[in-house]
Structure formats: structure tokens, C-alpha cells
Amino acid sequence: MLIARRALVAFTMAAVTACAWLAPLDAPAMRQVDAGLKRALVSFATARLLNAVISVAQGTEASVQPFGVGVTFTPGQILDPVNDLVEQFSHLMLAASVAFGIQKALIDSTPLRRFGLPEEIANAALFLASDEASYVTGAELAVDGGMSAGL
């Protein structure tokens, strides 16, 4: 039973790794990056709006004088931990938005509009190490998706 479980885990890991390297997954991955960027920006904006509403509520006071006795209600101190939590969440969403934006900018700056695959780098190294490259000397092999060519 233990061997079957290990074999299943190994097969699953191999399948996930193989799927991560397949080029047909680039389009769905880009859609996920776009959706993630949109969600992060909406979450950031919502958190900042909530932060502003809580800050306004912290500064409000309600005074009541029933039967000549004055009572002033100020919710500022009670809302302070909630406001701090929402502010920290907004900082996290800002960092996520920046990360998604950088990833999108890097992908868009590559002429092939995708990241290079590990096997593409390995194939270039294997070529240089093979007999087919025995006459190659002092050459620079740019495996960068066309970035150095300025395509």
C-alpha cells in the first residue's frame, strides 16, 4: 500500500511538472495573471475605501443628553485594531498588484510573449556540449526569446 501511494504521488508530481512546461498552458496562464491582477487591484481599492470609512467613523462623536445627563459616544478606540488590520491587508494587496504587474510587464517585454521553458535553455546547453557544436568557437548563443535582437 505504501509503495502504491508513493508511486501515485510520484506520478502526480511528474504530471504536474510536465503540465507546467507545456506551451499550450501559456494562454490560460496569461488569463490567470490578468484575472489575478484585476482581483488584486479591486481588493486593494476596496480595502483602502473601507480604511477611509473606518477612519471617518473613528473621528465621529455622538452626544446625547437624556434627562440632563450628558453621554458622548466615540467609537474611535474600538475601531482602531480593525482599521490597522484593513490597512495591513491593503498593503498586501498593493504588493500582490505590483507582483502581478511586474510579471505581466516581463512577459509583455519578451518578443515571444512568454517565459522561456527550462528545456529550451537545456537544449541550447546540450547543443553547445554536443559534437554538432565542435566547430563553434567564441560565439554567443542568446537563448532569450528575441529580447537581445530587439524584435
Side-chain angles (χ1 to χ4, degrees):
M1 182 67 177
L2 182 63
I3 295 173
R5 177 180 276 167
R6 285 186 180 176
L8 180 64
V9 168
F11 175 75
T12 304
M13 293 289 286
V16 167
T17 303
C19 286
W21 286 344
L22 295 176
L25 294 179
D26 286 342
M30 278 306 293
R31 285 194 299 273
Q32 289 294 327
V33 168
D34 291 338
L37 177 61
K38 188 182 294 184
R39 279 192 307 268
L41 287 172
V42 167
S43 296
F44 172 72
T46 304
R48 293 308 290 176
L49 177 68
L50 183 60
N51 186 252
V53 168
I54 292 172
S55 293
V56 168
Q58 280 181 306
T60 60
E61 293 182 357
S63 296
V64 181
Q65 294 181 350
F67 306 113
V69 177
V71 177
T72 303
F73 175 68
T74 56
Q77 295 300 321
I78 295 171
L79 294 175
D80 192 43
V82 175
N83 199 18
D84 291 341
L85 184 66
V86 170
E87 187 175 0
Q88 289 175 359
F89 177 75
S90 72
H91 291 309
L92 287 175
M93 288 299 100
L94 179 61
S97 300
V98 169
F100 275 119
I102 289 172
Q103 183 177 6
K104 190 166 173 54
L106 285 173
I107 290 172
D108 289 343
S109 69
T110 305
L112 294 180
R113 299 291 185 255
R114 65 178 179 85
F115 287 126
L117 301 175
E119 62 262 15
E120 292 170 329
I121 308 298
N123 288 338
L126 286 173
F127 167 72
L128 291 174
S130 70
D131 289 337
E132 284 81 16
S134 63
Y135 204 67
V136 176
T137 58
E140 181 179 326
L141 181 60
V143 186
D144 60 1
M147 287 187 69
S148 60
L151 296 176

